[in-house]
Every structure is written in C-alpha cells, then in structure tokens.
Amino acid sequence: MYLGIGVLVANAVAGGWGAAAWVRKQPSIVFWPLLRVAQAVVVVQVVLGLLLVASGESAPDGLHIVYGLTPLVVSLVTEGMRIGAAQKQLEGIEDVQALERREQVAIAHRVALSEMGVMTIGLLLILTLALRAYQTGG
C-alpha cells in the first residue's frame, strides 16, 4: 500500500512540476530528478508486485495486474518518444555547432520543452493508471 502511495505521490509531484514548467515555457532542471525518482518508484513497485504474484499472492483481479504493469510500459515508451521529440526539433539542421550561439540556445530550449512535455504526459498517464489500480482494490 505504501509503495502504491509512493507511485501516486512521486508521479503527481513530477507531473505537476513538469506541467507547470511546460505551461510557463520554462525548462526546469528540477523536473529531471523528480522524473527519475518517479520512474524508480514505478520500477520498484512493478518488481515487488511481480515478486508477490510469483510467490503465490493473488491480485484482486487481472485488471489490477494490468494497471500495475502498464506504468512501466508507459515509462519506457515515453522515453522513446522523448528521443523522437528531440530529433524532430533538430530536423533540417545540418550542423548545430555552425549555428550562432543564440540559435543554439533557442534550439536547446525547444528540445528541452518538447522532452519535458512528452515525459509530463507520461507521468500524468501513469498517475491516472495508478489511481485506477488503487480503485480496483489495490
């Protein structure tokens, strides 16, 4: 139960922080450690859940197990999408080093915001799934 609350809190804090920074269009250095903590808590929750199921514990229903595993999948998929978001911002740019410093900073700003946006959506989806898992009896 405490680990489930940890998943909820970590993803809510990181997701809220990311959403606020994204809305303000201000990349946040603090967001990334919050994101990594939320991801780590999800991994621990999935591993513990799988160990409990492997040891013979039963889940309230199969849907609860799906809601428990899906956050890990969402986290992995959003990491892949984050790479795609960065690549999209760099499309058509042959040599970043050849650009003026001001242009480099503008591109870095856009990349950071794109990555934060993708990861924030993932965090909020994980939060939603964790809330749903809690409602299924868990």
Side-chain angles (χ1 to χ4, degrees):
M1 179 176 87
Y2 295 114
L3 193 52
I5 292 169
V7 169
L8 289 168
V9 170
N11 281 276
V13 169
W17 191 279
W22 188 83
V23 166
R24 289 188 324 261
K25 298 190 184 317
Q26 300 233 332
S28 170
I29 294 172
V30 174
F31 171 76
W32 298 101
L34 292 173
L35 167 69
R36 298 304 178 216
V37 166
Q39 289 174 327
V41 174
V42 165
V43 169
V44 170
Q45 176 264 322
V46 169
V47 169
L48 182 61
L50 290 174
L51 289 173
L52 287 172
V53 170
S55 71
E57 295 288 326
S58 63
D61 59 24
L63 189 58
H64 182 79
I65 292 173
V66 170
Y67 282 126
L69 292 174
T70 305
L72 182 60
V73 174
V74 169
S75 188
L76 294 171
V77 169
T78 54
E79 283 292 343
M81 291 174 65
R82 181 175 73 93
I83 293 166
Q87 289 173 339
K88 183 168 176 65
Q89 294 299 324
L90 296 172
E91 281 181 358
I93 299 172
E94 295 294 324
D95 184 10
V96 174
Q97 298 298 324
L99 298 173
E100 291 181 24
R101 175 82 174 134
R102 184 178 96 306
E103 292 171 316
Q104 291 176 355
V105 169
I107 290 169
H109 188 267
R110 288 194 309 268
V111 167
L113 281 177
S114 294
E115 289 181 343
M116 280 181 54
V118 167
M119 298 311 293
T120 297
I121 290 168
L123 287 162
L124 296 176
L125 179 55
I126 290 169
L127 176 63
T128 303
L129 290 167
L131 285 168
R132 187 66 187 128
Y134 176 75
Q135 290 176 340
T136 64

